[in-house]
Amino acid sequence: MQAEPKKSLVGVDFEVEVGPVAHGGHCIARTADGQVLFVRHALPGERVVARVTEGEEGARFLRADAVSVLEASKDRIEAPCPFAGPGRCGGCDWQHAKPGAQRRLKGEVVAEQLQRLAGLTPEEAGWDGTVMPAEGDKLPAGEVPAWRTRVQYAVDADGNAGLRRHRSHEVEVIDHCMIAAPGVSELGIEARDWSGMASVDAIAATGSQDRMVILEPRPGARLPLVELDKPVSVMRVDEKDGGIHRVHGRAFVRERADGRTHRVGSGGFWQVHPMAADTLVKAVMQGLLPRKGEMALDLYCGVGLFAGALADRLGDKGAVLGIESGKRAVEDARHNLADFDRVRIEQGKVESVLPRTGITEVDLIVLDPPRAGAGRKTVEHLAGLGARRIAYVACDPAALARDLGYFRDGGYRVRTLRVFDLFPMTHHVECVAILEPVAKGA
Ligand SMILES: C[S@@+](CC[C@H](N)C(=O)[O-])C[C@H]1O[C@@H](n2cnc3c(N)ncnc32)[C@H](O)[C@@H]1O
């Protein structure tokens, strides 16, 4: 017998009391029947009308948008961006929260994940519970920061440009993105007509005048001429293989951080807040306190940000091994670190390359994995290398908390945790955890 299809609840409204914020930035609520709702654009303590955007009867949970606020939180503000809100731009999801409240809520999410997945209180994690701005970010509270040094715009078939709506391919047509850095705006949809393109990825480097635009043309469309009064690279996404190819200018931009210049190719990772790289390097180095002559690993090393910072502090007798899966990022890392004799970069996945290196002992480890985290197997391997300190840089607090639990099983404790707001107006948060071995007999 075929099971009856479940009835979709999309478009149905529920009047609900909004509970705490959850991982992912949505708040938790329940329908009168007890079904869990993850409500976007809501704040804890509010009473709202939540309109279901995903889910059916009997589903474990539903997703919804707060389409009307019946009782507002004192943390609520009118979103400064005219394109934010239910069903609109999918970029910033916390425009409706005061800047101070955004940080507090990020802290609540980190604390909840630590408790639930690692059994740690903030005190046990050596964290004072605060969420810090990026180093040197002195913007007055309330002012919308134009921070994003990389924005991927979308263009519809009629040539209207904007940003994608939340979990949708539809384009929210906009004339300006408030959080785009000025260098991005002078290149992006604010500056020219992008008809014929499907997407336009605009990058403005920090510490150099370099600009890059990665264009994905619609079938048969010609690329527009892109001119700027500073070095601009034009790249093209290949329709057939999805590869990124150079059309004009250099195939990279130069980013400055920790006193060095880093070449970052079109597909390579670089932090999108202009002060993020320096902030993270400082937090990692303050936590690790590298000593001359030590041996260190930089895992998920990208173009070599932490490997370079480590090599610089470890001196001529120190050594660093970086591992990164992206082929072009590895080429960039090798270029960026060419001045250091005792730095080696291996290409491949950490989980397969690390065991093959035959390394059985290191002094220091930095790991900065993608959102999924490192996972049990890699953490078990790392915990067996006897490092005196480990710095775990994380963009997903849930993956971090889970992996901290694995590190605890491997004999490591969290010495300090620092939490940074490197993504204002969104729910995203960045953490740096410093671990050390639990003293024998403790
Ligand atoms: C969050 S970025 C960090 C990059 C670098 N640490 C930085 O701060 O600029 C994560 C990096 O890990 C790489 N990556 C993803 N999965 C990987 C894996 N399984 N093994 C090695 N590298 C991986 C990505 O290509 C990306 O460069």
Side-chain angles (χ1 to χ4, degrees):
M1 223 172 67
Q2 247 187 344
E4 284 270 310
K6 297 243 175 79
K7 191 175 154 210
S8 168
L9 292 177
V10 172
V12 174
D13 287 350
F14 293 98
E15 200 177 304
V16 290
E17 307 277 349
V18 179
V21 63
H23 173 249
H26 303 185
C27 292
I28 304 173
R30 276 181 197 275
T31 65
D33 294 345
Q35 201 165 17
V36 173
L37 282 168
F38 286 105
V39 191
R40 203 165 184 258
H41 299 112
L43 288 170
E46 291 189 324
R47 188 163 182 78
V48 304
V49 176
R51 182 164 299 160
V52 177
T53 52
E54 269 178 59
E56 66 268 349
E57 266 179 359
R60 213 157 51 83
F61 63 84
L62 305 169
R63 293 192 184 279
D65 261 339
V67 289
S68 152
V69 180
L70 307 175
E71 278 167 44
S73 158
K74 62 176 180 12
D75 292 330
R76 180 172 281 274
I77 50 169
E78 183 79 33
C81 173
F83 309 107
R88 308 288 306 274
C89 175
C92 301
D93 51 358
W94 278 10
Q95 286 261 348
H96 60 289
K98 289 179 183 164
Q102 291 180 27
R103 291 207 180 126
R104 202 183 65 245
L105 294 173
K106 290 179 198 213
E108 285 174 18
V109 171
V110 173
E112 196 262 335
Q113 296 296 312
L114 280 179
Q115 184 65 64
R116 201 158 59 80
L117 299 172
L120 287 173
T121 62
E123 298 74 45
E124 286 165 334
W127 174 39
D128 63 7
T130 57
V131 178
M132 305 294 293
E135 207 73 49
D137 186 345
K138 299 227 171 3
L139 213 66
E143 207 163 299
V144 180
W147 59 273
R148 267 199 89 96
T149 55
R150 180 170 191 169
V151 174
Q152 185 161 23
Y153 301 97
V155 188
D156 70 16
D158 298 325
N160 300 307
L163 292 162
R164 295 221 184 274
R165 296 197 173 129
H166 183 57
R167 293 163 84 94
S168 161
H169 287 294
E170 279 177 39
V171 177
E172 174 73 25
V173 179
I174 69 172
D175 55 14
H176 176 59
C177 172
M178 289 187 103
I179 64 161
V184 167
S185 301
E186 70 183 12
L187 189 56
I189 58 166
E190 291 86 347
R192 40 182 70 69
D193 179 7
W194 292 109
S195 301
M197 302 301 108
S199 73
V200 174
D201 192 354
I203 302 167
T206 300
S208 84
Q209 291 282 299
D210 293 357
R211 306 285 182 261
M212 177 181 280
V213 65
I214 306 172
L215 302 175
E216 185 191 354
R218 291 185 176 275
R222 286 166 65 97
L223 293 184
L225 190 66
V226 185
E227 280 176 331
L228 215 59
D229 58 349
K230 35 188 85 82
V232 58
S233 305
V234 179
M235 310 291 290
R236 172 197 179 103
V237 180
D238 190 283
E239 210 183 298
K240 292 195 191 82
D241 64 8
I244 301 175
H245 305 289
R246 192 181 73 86
V247 177
H248 167 84
R250 299 187 179 105
F252 58 84
V253 293
R254 290 161 298 180
E255 302 272 4
R256 289 283 295 172
D258 196 37
R260 283 184 314 284
T261 298
H262 302 77
R263 182 178 103 173
V264 186
S266 50
F269 176 90
W270 191 260
Q271 292 286 349
V272 293
H273 188 295
M275 294 140 191
D278 273 327
T279 301
L280 295 174
V281 167
K282 196 166 165 194
V284 166
M285 296 305 143
Q286 280 175 346
L288 293 182
L289 298 174
R291 299 172 191 154
K292 297 278 179 215
E294 286 189 315
M295 155 77 192
L297 295 177
D298 178 12
L299 307 177
Y300 314 89
C301 71
V303 301
L305 173 67
F306 296 113
L310 284 163
D312 197 35
R313 286 143 179 99
L314 296 177
D316 296 344
K317 296 204 166 54
V320 183
L321 171 67
I323 303 178
E324 160 63 40
S325 60
K327 203 160 160 256
R328 288 210 190 151
V330 168
E331 285 166 19
D332 287 340
R334 288 180 180 149
H335 171 91
N336 294 335
L337 303 169
D339 287 349
F340 298 108
D341 292 337
R342 290 170 59 81
V343 175
R344 204 174 92 221
I345 306 292
E346 295 281 346
Q347 197 229 319
K349 294 192 168 176
V350 168
E351 49 277 34
S352 39
V353 172
L354 186 59
R356 280 207 306 268
T357 61
I359 291 172
T360 54
E361 235 182 289
V362 294
D363 300 299
L364 302 171
I365 300 172
V366 179
L367 69 157
D368 182 8
R371 301 197 72 72
R376 183 190 286 277
K377 232 169 140 206
T378 297
V379 170
E380 279 173 359
H381 190 114
L382 297 179
L385 298 178
R388 74 173 172 81
R389 283 205 188 162
I390 297 175
Y392 191 138
V393 183
C395 56
D396 184 330
L400 171 71
R402 180 205 63 202
D403 285 350
L404 291 182
Y406 300 151
F407 270 114
R408 184 190 43 227
D409 298 345
Y412 277 79
R413 65 179 279 273
V414 187
R415 187 185 153 85
T416 57
L417 176 73
R418 294 185 69 194
V419 184
F420 295 102
D421 184 13
L422 305 182
F423 311 95
M425 314 308 278
T426 80
H427 73 276
H428 292 284
V429 62
E430 191 84 10
C431 299
V432 177
I434 304 295
L435 296 104
E436 65 182 1
V438 177
K440 295 247 162 30

